[in-house]
Amino acid sequence: MATDQTRTAILIAAERLYAERGFSDVTLRDIVAEANVNLAAVNYHFGSKDELIAELFVTRSIALNRERLRELRAAEDAGGGRADIHAILRALVGPILRGCLGPENQRSAVARFMIRASIESVPPIRRIKNKEIDHLRKFAAAMQRALPDSSEVDLFWGLHFALAMAHHTIRESERLTKLSDGQCDLDDVEDVIARVVRGAVLGLTTRDQAAKSPPKVAAREAR
Amino acid sequence: MATDQTRTAILIAAERLYAERGFSDVTLRDIVAEANVNLAAVNYHFGSKDELIAELFVTRSIALNRERLRELRAAEDAGGGRADIHAILRALVGPILRGCLGPENQRSAVARFMIRASIESVPPIRRIKNKEIDHLRKFAAAMQRALPDSSEVDLFWGLHFALAMAHHTIRESERLTKLSDGQCDLDDVEDVIARVVRGAVLGLTTRDQAAKSPPKVAAREAR
DNA sequence: TTGCGTTTCAAACAATTGTATGAAACTATT
DNA sequence: AATAGTTTCATACAATTGTTTGAAACGCAA
């Protein structure tokens, strides 16, 4: 079976194109052109377009989750079994942010592909995506150990918001740059990570000095 | 020109279907079936599929922005010209959250359509979307007036994160419910809004007591 | 070299897409 | 009622999609 060059050429090309332009407007013909292989090769090696996407997603999903867990474990080891909440969230959002942001040249199609996948919900991916929940539970559990006094609900919200900030930053990095006239530096990945983590942690650790619902102004019609 | 029933039937059907299933897998034939009109009616009334989408998006975009600004102005009036930061962010994320969450029956296709539009970047929408930046600038300006001591960069990040939490909550509401075993109540819209606003405001108002970058644990390989 | 399994290729396939056509049906003014 | 303008309809069209086919090319053990 040689070196699987054709197979991997397809995978690489597909990932690159999907990451760039999204699933809906990349055709098999686009992929085989990019990969310099024959049209029929996709169906020969993968069976169908959906199976190609699924294979890509599964592979990358596993790798991303592994990296996240590696960093989580490392943080737990460094803390003698109990990781700091900052480190936990950093392990959650760091890998994907590092892959998607930073100077143009070092951005990986890998990470951007994963973001696409988490957004444009195409059937073959939707089926797999449910397993991610189990993965997130591990982080929820770690957070619980780090902040045993926080309510479980608040922890889930914190986890959820951390992912929200990370993903949204990746998706809308261009808009944020434009909005801030370039003042927000999306190339300084570690700063972005710090901001995301800090935002999420603050929400988790700051006891409500003010009542939960802020002053009753607005929200109803004026005056 | 009668009552435009056909035209509006198409708009309603299209919005409903797009909101539900996304742009990529809703065809004109799906739309006309849902609207009970003839296939050719779309091209007759709108010119093309893209123009139909564009019209939908423009209309809804204007309405959403108007509602946001209305709430912002109301908050400013209530505060004697200077709105509270909570109220500003509430005006930003409230309208879309109220439209997308809450008990099934009262969720509007309108708001969900807008979320789809902000995600699945289809050409006719991408062209229009740039104008949203001007709209966001108004909120940034209001935030600056509310928190004159904060750095501009931090304010942009705060605005950005508020939108992040709102949008992500809408998109991933199902996952959050599953992850938390139903403990996070996505039907209590006002609570969700309060959480989002509180999270964003905390990031803006809490002075860094700890250094910006938390303890140097983890992030590098273990030990 | 022969033969056999694997891989590549050009071509064709059926299905689906958005769009166009031209006749019919309708509406309302004269 | 007759006419002109608008709207609807069934149908057809061209383009694009993922997939299949069967023959050619290749790799390699015998």
Side-chain angles (χ1 to χ4, degrees):
Chain A
M1 66 177 62
T3 39
D4 261 356
Q5 347 167 296
T6 305
R7 228 186 104 93
T8 50
I10 291 173
L11 284 171
I12 292 173
E15 185 164 54
R16 232 178 61 78
L17 291 181
Y18 284 144
E20 251 172 39
R21 319 208 309 245
F23 294 103
S24 46
D25 51 71
V26 172
T27 73
L28 281 190
R29 282 167 178 82
D30 292 333
I31 295 173
V32 299
E34 173 87 6
N36 269 309
V37 301
N38 187 270
L39 174 59
V42 174
N43 288 276
Y44 177 77
H45 284 282
F46 298 93
S48 72
K49 187 194 187 186
D50 278 8
E51 287 172 90
L52 165 60
I53 295 181
E55 165 146 354
L56 262 178
F57 183 69
V58 169
T59 308
R60 296 318 190 182
S61 210
I62 290 174
L64 174 66
N65 289 352
R66 176 160 40 212
E67 172 61 14
R68 279 175 167 167
L69 281 181
R70 199 188 62 74
E71 293 193 16
L72 176 60
R73 296 276 138 76
E76 283 175 334
D77 289 352
R82 178 158 312 177
D84 174 71
I85 182 68
H86 292 89
I88 295 171
L89 293 179
R90 188 176 290 268
L92 182 69
V93 302
I96 190 83
L97 282 169
R98 266 186 281 267
C100 289
L101 297 181
E104 183 89 36
N105 51 36
Q106 62 180 264
R107 270 179 228 170
S108 77
V110 179
R112 300 190 81 79
F113 168 83
M114 290 301 292
I115 291 295
R116 285 281 186 195
S118 82
I119 290 173
E120 281 177 52
S121 179
V122 6
I125 287 184
R126 223 170 314 167
R127 269 177 264 125
I128 302 166
K129 233 182 119 188
N130 286 331
K131 293 205 289 189
E132 219 199 9
I133 293 191
D134 296 324
H135 178 249
L136 293 181
R137 275 193 220 281
K138 296 186 185 137
F139 280 84
M143 291 169 68
Q144 220 159 342
R145 288 191 292 273
L147 301 174
D149 293 337
S150 293
S151 84
E152 221 178 331
V153 181
D154 288 347
L155 288 174
F156 285 126
W157 277 105
L159 174 60
H160 169 77
F161 283 157
L163 286 174
M165 292 184 273
H167 284 204
H168 195 78
T169 299
I170 292 164
R171 279 201 296 117
E172 303 284 355
S173 64
E174 206 179 320
R175 191 178 70 176
L176 178 56
T177 302
K178 234 180 261 175
L179 175 66
S180 70
D181 263 325
Q183 290 180 77
C184 295
D185 182 9
L186 277 300
D187 282 351
D188 186 349
V189 187
E190 292 304 322
D191 178 62
V192 173
I193 295 177
R195 284 181 183 274
V196 169
V197 169
R198 178 172 171 272
V201 171
L202 275 178
L204 283 169
T205 56
T206 309
R207 290 269 55 80
D208 316 77
Q209 60 251 43
K212 187 168 83 188
S213 44
K216 280 251 165 44
V217 297
R220 288 267 173 274
E221 44 238 293
R223 78 174 0 271
Chain B
M1 62 178 61
T3 38
D4 262 355
Q5 348 167 289
T6 305
R7 229 185 103 91
T8 50
I10 292 174
L11 284 171
I12 292 173
E15 186 163 52
R16 233 178 60 78
L17 291 181
Y18 283 144
E20 249 171 42
R21 320 209 308 247
F23 295 103
S24 46
D25 50 69
V26 172
T27 72
L28 283 189
R29 284 168 177 80
D30 292 332
I31 295 174
V32 300
E34 173 86 7
N36 270 311
V37 302
N38 187 271
L39 174 59
V42 174
N43 288 276
Y44 177 78
H45 284 282
F46 297 93
S48 72
K49 187 195 186 184
D50 278 8
E51 289 172 88
L52 165 62
I53 294 181
E55 164 145 354
L56 262 178
F57 183 68
V58 170
T59 308
R60 295 317 189 183
S61 209
I62 291 174
L64 174 65
N65 289 352
R66 177 160 39 215
E67 172 60 14
R68 279 175 168 168
L69 281 181
R70 198 188 63 74
E71 293 192 17
L72 176 61
R73 297 276 138 77
E76 284 175 335
D77 289 353
R82 178 158 313 178
D84 174 70
I85 182 67
H86 292 90
I88 296 172
L89 293 179
R90 185 176 291 268
L92 182 70
V93 302
I96 190 83
L97 281 169
R98 268 186 280 265
C100 289
L101 298 181
E104 183 91 35
N105 52 35
Q106 63 179 265
R107 270 179 228 172
S108 77
V110 180
R112 300 191 82 80
F113 168 82
M114 290 300 292
I115 291 294
R116 285 281 187 193
S118 81
I119 290 174
E120 281 177 52
S121 179
V122 8
I125 287 184
R126 223 172 313 167
R127 270 177 264 126
I128 302 166
K129 230 181 121 190
N130 286 331
K131 294 204 290 189
E132 218 199 8
I133 293 191
D134 297 324
H135 179 249
L136 293 181
R137 276 193 219 281
K138 295 184 186 139
F139 280 83
M143 291 169 69
Q144 221 159 340
R145 287 192 293 273
L147 301 174
D149 294 336
S150 293
S151 84
E152 220 177 330
V153 182
D154 288 348
L155 289 174
F156 286 126
W157 277 106
L159 174 60
H160 170 77
F161 283 157
L163 286 174
M165 292 185 273
H167 284 206
H168 196 77
T169 299
I170 292 164
R171 279 200 295 120
E172 302 284 358
S173 64
E174 205 179 322
R175 192 179 69 176
L176 179 56
T177 302
K178 234 180 261 174
L179 175 66
S180 69
D181 264 325
Q183 290 181 76
C184 294
D185 182 9
L186 277 301
D187 283 351
D188 186 350
V189 187
E190 293 304 322
D191 177 61
V192 173
I193 295 176
R195 283 181 183 275
V196 169
V197 169
R198 177 172 172 273
V201 171
L202 275 179
L204 284 169
T205 57
T206 309
R207 290 269 55 81
D208 315 78
Q209 61 251 40
K212 187 168 84 189
S213 45
K216 281 252 163 43
V217 297
R220 290 265 171 276
E221 44 240 291
R223 75 173 6 271

